[in-house]
Amino acid sequence: MFDVAIVGLGPAGRALASRCAAAGLTVLALDPHPEAPWTQTLSLWADQVPPWLRQEACGIDVLAHRFHGAALYSPDRALLPREYAVLDTDGLRDALPLGDGITVERSAVDDAGLAALTGRAHRVVDCRGAGGRRNRGPLQTAYGIVVGSDAAAPALGGESALFMDWRPDHDDDEVGPGFLYAIPLDRDRVLLEETCLAGMPAPTPADLASRLRSRLLRRGVARDVIDEPLAVERVRIPLLPRPRSDAAHPRVEAFGTAGGYGHAATGYSVAAMLECVPAAVGALGSGRPIPGPRAQLSTALHSVGLRVLLRADHATVRELFAAFGRLEARQQHWFLDAASPSYQVGAAMWNMWASMPLRQKAGMVAALLRQEARDHAGPGGPA
């Protein structure tokens, strides 16, 4: 019998498996493609890198690039006084080795197979993510292109990065509220990405690509750069975990986005997951349940934010983030960090509400009372 079986070797599963082995636990890790590269862009605030993953502790710099003072436009300009960072996915994998104490099997495990693994391990942890295509809940979707730094300069307009740019300088508004996310991946490359923060149904990649193209052309980005980028990125993030059929089994648990460690209103998950790894390892080693990602009240407040994003009109959503830009720095942290305690999340949300104009406050109330999500389907239909 293994001490723990971990199903899925994405960032959450690999981090948990590596740290469990380092703590002396025997680990069975199952994934059909355990060495598949992580091609998605993973970002977090630089101060969220946990102590055990910093270069002085693990000997590897897991950050590919970092920068300070990303801008928020909604439509007024605000600067976020916090250092933002892009993870080096290859460096992160190297910092999370699958060495001694870990047996890797190249196999896929379905929901029924999770319970069957209790015959091989004392504890089983589902790290397969939030369900992928099987998850029919609200989604964050995005379409992005990677271009050279010089080519991206017109889109950035002199900013070091654009954390959220809600200005409506594009040809359509049928797709629903969306923003430009523009961050340097390193000294030479910039990701320019059109993002729908929450949709149900969510815009298709084709709809977002069309909006991104019109936005970038208006800002003066060269047409050939848009048509022939260095790389293309498509994002599809379930904002809520898929309901689990194994939830009643006492020895089967979930971690990472499968366990609800993502932020329902923003999609952030990597930083919260990494922060919770030591507590999860301690629980698995001592026979206790893996602690939840946050207090239930914090999760409920995140759900209120998600409901507004899904149901509010465009003007209300944009004003909501204008109010976010007016928060003091620490309250911005409280709202964005997925593991913030409920009193911090509540205080940040209250102050956002308090600074909004009366018309948009009414829009917030209407969104909370509305039964159906706003239709985000654009010309291409729902995702």
Side-chain angles (χ1 to χ4, degrees), residues 206-226:
D207 293 334
L208 293 171
S210 176
R211 174 179 281 185
L212 177 66
R213 178 183 178 82
S214 68
R215 191 193 292 271
L216 296 182
L217 286 173
R218 286 194 183 191
R219 296 194 183 191
V221 177
R223 191 180 300 271
D224 61 325
V225 169
I226 301 172

Side-chain angles (χ1 to χ4, degrees), residues 323-335:
F324 168 79
R326 292 190 290 268
L327 291 176
E328 59 183 57
R330 63 172 185 158
Q331 294 193 356
Q332 291 176 349
H333 298 191
W334 295 350
F335 179 74

Side-chain angles (χ1 to χ4, degrees), residues 106-172:
R106 298 174 179 269
S107 58
V109 178
D110 59 17
D111 290 350
L114 290 173
L117 282 171
T118 58
R120 302 181 63 191
H122 296 291
R123 305 283 290 276
V124 177
V125 186
D126 182 3
C127 294
R128 297 176 298 166
R133 297 289 173 182
R134 298 168 296 166
N135 191 322
R136 315 304 287 181
L139 300 172
Q140 180 178 130
T141 53
Y143 176 90
I145 59 174
V146 178
V147 303
S149 299
D150 291 342
L156 289 167
E159 303 289 359
S160 63
L162 296 172
F163 181 68
M164 288 182 175
D165 189 344
W166 292 90
R167 290 175 290 185
D169 55 346
H170 45 71
D171 292 341
D172 71 84

Side-chain angles (χ1 to χ4, degrees), residues 2 24 26 30 34 51 101 110 161 230 234 260 264 279 284 306 341 359 361 382:
F2 292 89
T26 57
L30 303 101
D110 59 17
L230 301 176
R234 296 174 179 85
L284 292 169
L306 175 59
R359 187 181 187 88
K361 285 181 179 177

Side-chain angles (χ1 to χ4, degrees), residues 266-308:
T266 66
Y268 279 116
S269 64
V270 174
M273 175 274 293
L274 292 173
E275 181 182 355
C276 292
V277 166
V281 172
L284 292 169
S286 62
R288 295 177 285 110
I290 295 176
R294 67 190 69 84
Q296 290 184 350
L297 183 53
S298 292
T299 298
L301 290 169
H302 291 174
S303 298
V304 170
L306 175 59
R307 186 178 180 91
V308 169

